[in-house]
Amino acid sequence: MVLVDEFLPVFDVSDELAVVVDADADATWAALLDADLIEVGRRRPLVGVLGALRVLPQVASELLHGERPPAAPERLGLRDLTGLPAAAGGWILLGERPGEEIALGLVGKFWRPVIEYAEVDAASFKPFAQPGYAKTVYALGVRPLADRRALLSGVTRTATTDEHARRWFRRYWTLGVGSGAHILVNGLLDVVREDAERLRETHDA
């Protein structure tokens, strides 16, 4: 995938997954963008639990300070994530190559109980170098294969901005977060594969 290399060519950790989809690239791309991440959590309960854990410390902090957490959306697609604040599970849209790849990003001190996020956008993501932070890219892509099939892939990469952040992030990643990120991406890819193949079956019937 092109965008992940464009925005984070050098990194500390990376996790890559791919599945072959028995549907063409157009149907697979449509299923990816149409995927409801809340529904993914229902269909893959462990994904739902892990997704909730990301925002739980922020919610708890708001409640302790007498603030009312925002209501959860009824539906949440990949593009919807870019309209949410980072503390509510949002991501930055770094770029999109229609029909091929979409890349999202975050910058934060992910190892803290309540994550401290940096205010960045797509233009400032790559050059961001303030000490003490980690930068993560989450990219999903579709590539056509022979016999009307497609390769659906996901890449998660993280780079840190200094040695202090690197030490903290490696502990955080090693203590289960790396495995959790793998499960989240794998769950999304598997549900998208199911949906794309179901669309193909309906179309061919």
Side-chain angles (χ1 to χ4, degrees):
M1 290 191 284
V2 174
L3 291 174
V4 68
D5 290 323
E6 177 183 335
F7 284 97
L8 209 61
V10 179
F11 49 90
D12 294 300
V13 298
S14 179
D15 187 52
E16 302 183 25
L17 285 157
V19 294
V20 174
V21 183
D22 192 18
D24 64 28
D26 288 342
T28 303
W29 179 257
L32 175 63
L33 292 190
D34 191 53
D36 178 2
L37 301 178
I38 296 173
E39 179 63 20
V40 171
R42 293 191 186 104
R43 290 164 63 177
R44 301 292 186 276
L46 184 54
V47 169
V49 170
L50 291 171
L53 286 175
R54 178 192 157 190
V55 298
L56 182 60
Q58 179 67 32
V59 171
S61 176
E62 291 172 350
L63 290 172
L64 286 171
H65 289 86
E67 302 172 14
R68 182 186 295 273
E74 293 183 3
R75 192 183 187 286
L76 193 62
L78 286 173
R79 288 199 181 110
D80 298 326
L81 291 176
T82 64
L84 296 175
W91 289 73
I92 308 156
L93 177 61
L94 297 178
E96 181 178 343
R97 299 165 65 218
E100 298 179 28
E101 182 184 5
I102 185 169
L104 308 173
L106 274 180
V107 179
K109 298 179 180 181
F110 305 122
W111 48 88
R112 292 193 170 182
V114 176
I115 300 171
E116 180 183 334
Y117 295 97
E119 294 292 332
V120 298
D121 56 18
S124 58
F125 181 90
K126 185 175 181 179
F128 181 91
Q130 184 176 333
Y133 283 87
K135 306 194 296 185
T136 292
V137 173
Y138 177 32
L140 296 152
V142 176
R143 183 162 60 88
L145 299 175
D147 301 322
R148 296 176 61 200
R149 297 187 302 164
L151 185 70
L152 174 64
S153 56
V155 179
T156 304
R157 281 185 187 173
T158 300
T160 50
T161 55
D162 64 3
E163 186 58 37
H164 175 76
R166 187 170 296 113
R167 287 196 301 270
W168 275 104
F169 182 78
R170 287 194 176 277
R171 292 172 192 157
Y172 167 83
W173 186 260
T174 303
L175 290 172
V177 174
S179 299
H182 185 94
I183 291 168
L184 286 168
V185 177
N186 184 66
L188 174 60
L189 297 187
D190 200 40
V191 168
V192 170
R193 176 190 59 76
E194 287 180 355
D195 291 347
E197 291 176 350
R198 188 177 300 113
L199 284 174
R200 176 174 178 174
E201 290 173 1
T202 301
H203 183 268
D204 290 347

